[in-house]
Amino acid sequence: MNTHTGGGPDLGTVVVGVDGSAPAKRAALWAAAEADRRRRPLRIVYAADLDRLTLFASAEAIDQIHDTGRELLLKIALAAQERFPNLTVVRELSRKDPVSALHMSAGPHDTIVVGNRGLGGFGALMLGSVGLEVAARSRLPVVVVRGEPDAPDTGTVTAAVRGTADRGWVGYAAREAQLRKATLRVLSMWNPLAHAGSMATMLDGLDEMAQEHARRMEALVEPLRRAFPGLTLTTEVASGTSAAGVLVEASRHTDVLVMGARRRPMGLGPSLGRVAHAVLHHAQCPVVIVPRRGRNGEEA
């Protein structure tokens, strides 16, 4: 059973990867809370990477990997069910590498959750390579769990948008806010310096452009107001020269930050744009990357 009411996408099972690290355990508990809100199962995946390791590891080492994986899966499952007694938990010990295992375990409506850093990462890195690759390659929503573990709820979900082209994914943010009984804050960025050097940079012209940007935001959210009549929804146009800086600051005052990420055609060029990449490394709350594809393959 799920809690799909009103408009927007049906949110499926929550799939989380674990590796024994503290960030992965925190991600698993975050994922458990998300699955409980959705009234959907939680699938916990341990990627043993046996397809590669069996080429050179001993039988004893392989057995140890199996035992370690099973013990960890059971430990995390028990912790999740202790917090959420009605939660259905599925454990999966995969032979694949972590990135492949998570992608293969998730269905078409599911959400993948990863920690911000795993056992293989360096302490100085803000996001582990596995988490970054999962977010970059996935065709499903991916949550990178960041921020302080015991941060108080703000009652807000923030959707970072560019314009009406984001209609295809912003419903995910609305559903997330609906599940949390939170306010949806639709935040967009407007850089007045982008128009420097033209006659439009006169003050009256800038004011008119700012108003036009605000009107486009209202056009974006109007369908959401109709689809989610009980949802409190606000719009905000932030001005500045650094979209990443605006979003990292916004992440300090929201429970979840949701972004759309375009994929370049045929996998050419960076999989995530500069803004998404910076936010994933520096945000102060969990970040959801929802895939999208621009008509000309622009990066997010």
Side-chain angles (χ1 to χ4, degrees):
M1 176 180 177
N2 62 30
T3 56
H4 188 203
T5 60
D10 187 8
L11 303 182
T13 295
V14 181
V15 179
V16 63
V18 296
D19 63 1
S21 67
K25 180 179 180 181
R26 184 185 165 217
L29 294 177
W30 189 97
E34 178 70 10
D36 187 66
R37 275 189 292 270
R38 297 182 183 189
R39 299 183 185 177
R40 302 291 289 183
L42 171 68
R43 179 178 293 272
I44 307 172
V45 180
Y46 179 84
D49 202 11
L50 293 178
D51 285 351
R52 180 182 64 89
L53 294 178
T54 49
L55 298 176
F56 56 85
S58 67
E60 182 179 356
I62 297 299
D63 288 342
Q64 181 61 46
I65 291 170
H66 274 116
D67 292 342
T68 299
R70 292 191 188 96
E71 290 174 6
L72 178 61
L73 286 169
L74 179 59
K75 180 179 178 180
I76 297 296
L78 291 175
Q81 289 177 314
E82 182 178 2
R83 292 195 182 191
F84 306 100
N86 296 324
L87 180 65
T88 298
V89 179
V90 179
R91 293 172 281 160
E92 180 180 341
L93 180 62
S94 173
R95 295 181 57 86
K96 301 297 182 182
D97 64 272
V99 176
S100 299
L102 288 170
H103 288 158
M104 293 176 67
S105 297
H109 300 292
D110 295 349
T111 296
I112 297 174
V113 180
V114 295
N116 68 307
R117 189 167 59 245
L119 290 177
F122 296 96
L125 293 180
M126 303 302 283
L127 177 64
S129 59
V130 169
L132 187 60
E133 189 173 355
V134 169
R137 286 176 46 186
S138 181
R139 296 182 179 274
L140 303 172
V142 173
V143 184
V144 177
V145 178
R146 300 190 53 83
E148 294 298 324
D150 300 319
D153 290 342
T154 66
T156 302
V157 171
T158 298
V161 302
R162 288 181 167 186
T164 53
D166 291 311
R167 283 176 177 163
W169 66 265
V170 75
Y172 183 100
R175 287 283 293 120
E176 185 67 34
Q178 182 186 57
L179 285 173
R180 292 170 173 268
K181 298 179 173 59
T183 295
L184 176 62
R185 176 193 184 196
V186 180
L187 175 65
S188 66
M189 175 76 181
W190 182 66
N191 180 7
L193 294 183
H195 307 280
S198 70
M199 290 299 292
T201 55
M202 298 177 62
L203 291 180
D204 288 346
L206 288 175
D207 184 61
E208 184 178 339
M209 284 187 290
Q211 292 180 23
E212 176 58 27
H213 190 92
R215 285 193 289 270
R216 288 199 297 268
M217 290 305 99
E218 283 299 323
L220 170 66
V221 302
E222 183 55 33
L224 292 179
R225 297 189 196 279
R226 295 194 299 268
F228 299 88
L231 179 65
T232 301
L233 193 155
T234 65
T235 61
E236 179 180 343
V237 178
S239 61
T241 58
S242 171
V246 168
L247 295 179
V248 170
E249 178 59 30
S251 73
R252 301 177 187 276
H253 312 288
T254 190
D255 295 328
V256 181
L257 176 63
V258 188
M259 302 178 64
R262 290 192 179 105
R263 300 291 185 262
R264 289 183 178 272
M266 300 177 66
L268 300 176
S271 297
L272 292 174
R274 292 184 298 274
V275 174
H277 196 276
V279 171
L280 284 174
H281 279 78
H282 301 292
Q284 300 299 306
C285 72
V287 178
V288 187
I289 299 294
V290 184
R292 63 177 180 177
R293 188 182 296 278
R295 286 175 295 180
N296 58 0
E298 296 176 35
E299 64 184 42

